Amino acid sequence: MTDALPLARTRRIGPFEVGRIGYGCWRFAGTPVAAAREKLETALAAGIDLIDTAAIYGFGETAFGEAEERLGDALADAPGLREKIVLVTKGGIVPPIPYDSRKAALIESVEASLRRLRTEAIDLFLVHRPDFLAAHAEVGAALEEMHAAGKIRAAGVSNYTVAQTRALQPQMDLPLVATQPEFSALTPAPLYDGVLDLAQETGLAPMAWSPLGGGALATGQGGPAPADRRDAVLAEIDRIAGVNGCGRDAVALAWVLAHPAAPVALIGTQRPARIRAAMRAFDVRLTRRDWYAVLEARLGEAMP
Ligand SMILES: NC(=O)c1ccc[n+]([C@@H]2O[C@H](COP(=O)([O-])OP(=O)(O)OC[C@H]3O[C@@H](n4cnc5c(N)ncnc54)[C@H](OP(=O)(O)O)[C@@H]3O)[C@@H](O)[C@H]2O)c1
């Protein structure tokens, strides 16, 4: 069969229906308010209504909390924008410890995020990375308490293994609704480590971070894979882009979106034209052979 793989445009994440391309604000630090607002409004107009950030974003470039501050500026500057987006943030990374997901630390993190974002509640809060020194019971208690207090509307995890996610869930009645792994044609680990299987088993929404490999799948420079594997992946992506008459970015995003766990791909470009261009991913006709050819290029061998 040469049918194109289906690419649904929306999915549920807990109580929210969202577009399957989300906009990530990791690289948002330093953005003046008018530019921040333009990026968000461009995203919304294109059908991108999930906005992802984190308390730590900005640390190392400007300051801890800076990306949330700039997003808060834009939300304050554009009345009505807050109600149109599903706002996701994360906490638990505390330089230089590096992690603190004890109950008091997570609650303090969310309260600071609410102040910076100038909003009443976080729609979806994620524990940013597993803190080996925080008991799952304590993390669960923090999420449940914040939910009961109306500070967060839903909860999930990021960079958690399947075992860590399974160990956390029974510690609370609140259902985890999302898991955020790195996932792209350059980082196919969630195909093998069980994260995308757990998502299908339990209904957790996978949110794929760096779906363009942090830009490497557009530029051919750097990225989270050896250069020869990246170049081989790009050769396949360019072939598929040629057939479809679209950019590399659209094909790389379509590859993520085509997985049956229905990931939300979190793009991170700071250029409005590239935010709009990302939506072309939904028009890509990706066959099963195309999808496996990209994976084989990443692996450096044919599927067994
Ligand atoms: N949970 C976690 O631990 C974690 C970790 C990392 C990221 N994230 C989330 O994932 C989001 C996305 O990450 P990311 O920024 O690495 O995503 P990405 O979309 O894979 O990469 C974005 C980068 O690619 C560059 N790029 C170059 N050519 C491009 C093109 N043609 N189209 C689009 N982008 C192009 C962009 O530069 P320009 O701006 O110049 O276009 C930008 O620097 C983050 O904002 C954050 O929300 C989560």
Side-chain angles (χ1 to χ4, degrees), residues 22-28 51-54 57 90 93 126-129 158-159 180-182 184 207-219 248-249 253 266-271 274-275 277-278:
Y23 186 54
C25 299
W26 178 26
R27 305 174 192 271
F28 223 57
I51 307 296
D52 183 87
T53 187
Y57 293 167
K90 321 181 197 75
I93 301 185
L126 309 180
V127 183
H128 203 151
R129 286 191 175 271
S158 179
N159 304 300
Q180 190 175 123
E182 181 177 11
S184 72
M207 302 167 69
W209 63 261
S210 294
L212 301 182
L217 287 175
T219 62
R248 288 170 159 179
D249 54 336
L253 292 171
L266 295 175
I267 60 167
T269 179
Q270 298 304 301
R271 303 181 199 220
R274 288 178 174 174
I275 297 174

Side-chain angles (χ1 to χ4, degrees), residues 136-137 139-141 143-144 155-157 160-178 198 202-204:
H136 294 301
V139 174
L143 296 176
E144 220 153 40
V157 293
Y160 264 49
T161 65
V162 169
Q164 289 161 345
T165 310
R166 284 198 189 283
L168 172 59
Q169 182 60 87
Q171 302 296 334
M172 54 186 195
D173 293 329
L174 181 69
L176 294 168
V177 300
L198 181 72
T202 64
L204 278 175

